């Protein structure tokens, strides 16, 4: 069974940090670009960051300089390290995998239609 599982969410104070993990099972992430998306209550889902299998990274403007995406193919896991967190970062965060193709999956803005597999999400809440 192909599955992505996010973890690492929680409650953090303004200015704090969290590291989210996205672990794959049933398939290898080597051949996939990975994206992180988030959805706040009452808002549309938005793309946050993505990383290619060649370790190229992209970020939406609102998180540049604060979030860092990385991958460890040996662990079949992708990470999103978030720092200087703000209340507006509060959302459910989802990871998604898109099989590498042309045109590239990992672009800004992220297009969720390009991603084939999705996790269930992890809640991040930033208190002011």
């Amino acid at each position: 069974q192909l599955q992505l599982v996010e973890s690492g969410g929680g409650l953090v104070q303004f200015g704090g940090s969290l590291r989210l993990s996205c672990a794959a099972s049933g398939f290898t992430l080597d051949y996939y670009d990975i994206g992180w998306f988030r959805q706040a209550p009452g808002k549309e889902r938005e793309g946050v960051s993505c990383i290619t299998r060649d370790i190229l990274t992209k970020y939406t403007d609102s998180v540049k300089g604060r979030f860092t995406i990385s991958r460890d193919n040996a662990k079949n896991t992708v990470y999103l390290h978030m720092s200087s967190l703000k209340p507006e970062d509060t959302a459910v965060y989802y990871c998604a995998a898109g099989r590498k193709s042309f045109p590239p999956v990992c672009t800004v803005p992220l297009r969720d239609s390009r991603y084939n597999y999705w996790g269930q999400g992890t809640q991040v809440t930033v208190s002011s």
Side-chain angles (χ1 to χ4, degrees):
Q1 184 178 0
L2 306 178
Q3 196 173 13
L4 291 172
V5 178
E6 302 94 338
S7 61
L11 175 64
V12 64
Q13 290 187 333
F14 177 86
S17 299
L18 282 174
R19 188 182 76 164
L20 305 182
S21 299
C22 172
S25 61
F27 68 109
T28 177
L29 291 180
D30 287 11
Y31 303 105
Y32 291 82
D33 292 353
I34 308 300
W36 282 96
F37 295 76
R38 65 186 180 187
Q39 187 166 21
K43 295 187 176 180
E44 291 188 355
R45 185 166 58 192
E46 67 166 338
V48 174
S49 178
C50 59
I51 185 168
T52 72
R53 61 181 301 210
D54 303 315
I55 322 297
L56 298 176
T57 60
K58 297 186 183 294
Y59 301 90
T60 193
D61 285 347
S62 62
V63 307
K64 280 182 181 177
R66 300 189 299 121
F67 289 13
T68 302
I69 190 171
S70 62
R71 65 193 297 162
D72 185 338
N73 286 345
K75 294 183 178 180
N76 220 23
T77 301
V78 172
Y79 304 96
L80 185 68
H81 187 266
M82 307 183 295
S83 61
S84 302
L85 283 162
K86 307 174 183 179
E88 51 263 44
D89 294 317
T90 295
V92 178
Y93 283 70
Y94 301 89
C95 66
R99 192 166 181 88
K100 184 173 174 62
S101 63
F102 187 84
V105 174
C106 179
T107 61
V108 176
L110 281 74
R111 292 181 170 79
D112 53 11
S113 61
R114 300 297 311 280
Y115 292 82
N116 309 104
Y117 304 110
W118 290 79
Q120 293 299 307
T122 185
Q123 176 71 48
V124 172
T125 303
V126 184
S127 63
S128 56

